[in-house]
Amino acid sequence: MLAEAIKSDFAVNLVEGKKITSTNTRGNSKKYQAKNVADDIPDNYWATDDSVIVSSITVDFGEPTEFNRFLVQEDIRFGQRVKQFTLEVFSENEWKQIDAQTTIGRKRILRFPNVTAGQLRLNIKDSRACPVISKIGVYKAPKVIVEPEIQRNKNGEVSIQGFDSGIDIFYTIDGSYPTAQSFIYTEPFLLKKKATVKAIVVDPGSKAGSPVSEVQFDISKENWKLTGAFESAEQARFIFDGNPKTAWTLDILPPVDFIIDLSETLNITGFTYLPDQGRWNPGIINRYEFYVSKDGKNWGNPVSEGDFANIKNNPVLQKKDFDVVQGRFVKFRALSPAEEKGRLGIAEFDIITQ
């Protein structure tokens, strides 16, 4: 669904057939003229004189035109040159900046709320050498209506992010189905208790809605801290940050103990483990033991042990349940990685309470 939506973003290039000018053209030659950026001929490009690294290229639509995507490409045969650029539109008789970025490279796509303007200007602010731009595209893309991403950080702050801009996000925290009459998301909010958050995206124009996202949160990790051998490990914060894209990975031989002080005595009925989600040599734990202690000294036998089935090929969130055990400290012992001589890693770790 997302791939189809992205493809439709770039169906019609609003630059085609429009007047395109630049502040400088290499040798004043038609071979390097500004309109080359709209002809879709791979070997054509716009370039400036060698001494000109600050320059602009302007698209005149001829009439007020609405758009929300901008695409720009360097001719990568000459290397990546642009170091800084801005994007401006001419609206209400003045130029207004709508974005500022650094590198371009093979392809750079900017997404922003719908803008209506008669002209658009790309300003190259800094470049390693004269800029060589092979393509510019301007598009009015339909809203991408896919389920939003729900995250909660260590302090209990919940954020909900839609893929696109200019859309409404509605959510609930009681497990009920969200509708346009539910809470509307405007900024992160605190939620430190156990709760089920559900959210949808709605296009205010078409009223089209997304599938529902659902995340079950347990108690907040605000006061959790790592103890034992890794008490001062800087990367350890990643296992509590609520972001599945960050991870703590270790290149050491197992067994390895991850000991956490929960700051209070709780009735614990399970835990969840998300392995490193990186694509290249990720840290994935296969065999494990899990312990609970009241004092962080006496651990007894593991309350759960075994392996995470097929985790090497399917490194998704793992959930293990067990009979209720009371304790303040937990120890997650990594006994082996998923790959022989592989790394051990945790993207997210959580407990399940009664």
Side-chain angles (χ1 to χ4, degrees), residues 154 226 233-242 246-248 347-348:
K154 187 176 186 293
L226 204 69
E234 183 179 354
Q235 280 194 321
R237 69 184 188 279
F238 292 144
I239 70 176
F240 302 140
D241 66 2
T246 60
W248 180 23
E348 289 298 317

Side-chain angles (χ1 to χ4, degrees), residues 244 271-278 282-286 288 307-320 332 338 345-350:
F271 73 93
T272 62
Y273 161 62
L274 181 70
D276 178 9
Q277 298 295 292
I284 301 176
I285 296 168
N286 182 24
Y288 75 93
D307 56 28
F308 300 111
N310 199 37
I311 194 171
K312 175 181 175 180
N313 299 315
N314 192 28
V316 298
L317 184 71
Q318 308 292 311
K319 180 182 178 183
K320 296 292 182 178
F332 181 40
I346 304 175
E348 289 298 317
F349 179 84
D350 206 347

Side-chain angles (χ1 to χ4, degrees), residues 268-271 288-293 299-306 320-326 330-331:
I268 303 169
T269 63
F271 73 93
Y288 75 93
E289 291 176 346
F290 188 81
Y291 300 80
V292 178
S293 170
W299 293 98
N301 297 322
V303 296
S304 179
E305 59 185 317
K320 296 292 182 178
D321 298 304
F322 45 80
D323 292 336
V324 60
V325 182
Q326 194 174 73
V330 297
K331 176 164 62 178

Side-chain angles (χ1 to χ4, degrees), residues 183-203:
F183 296 120
I184 186 167
Y185 178 80
T186 56
E187 61 183 2
F189 58 92
L190 284 177
L191 183 66
K192 298 186 178 184
K193 64 179 183 179
K194 292 183 65 171
T196 298
V197 179
K198 295 184 178 181
I200 58 171
V201 163
V202 175
D203 179 358

Side-chain angles (χ1 to χ4, degrees), residues 63-79:
E63 61 182 357
T65 300
E66 189 176 25
F67 51 90
N68 53 23
R69 300 285 188 273
F70 177 75
L71 178 150
V72 58
Q73 297 178 206
E74 291 185 78
D75 192 325
I76 210 65
R77 295 175 300 177
F78 300 96

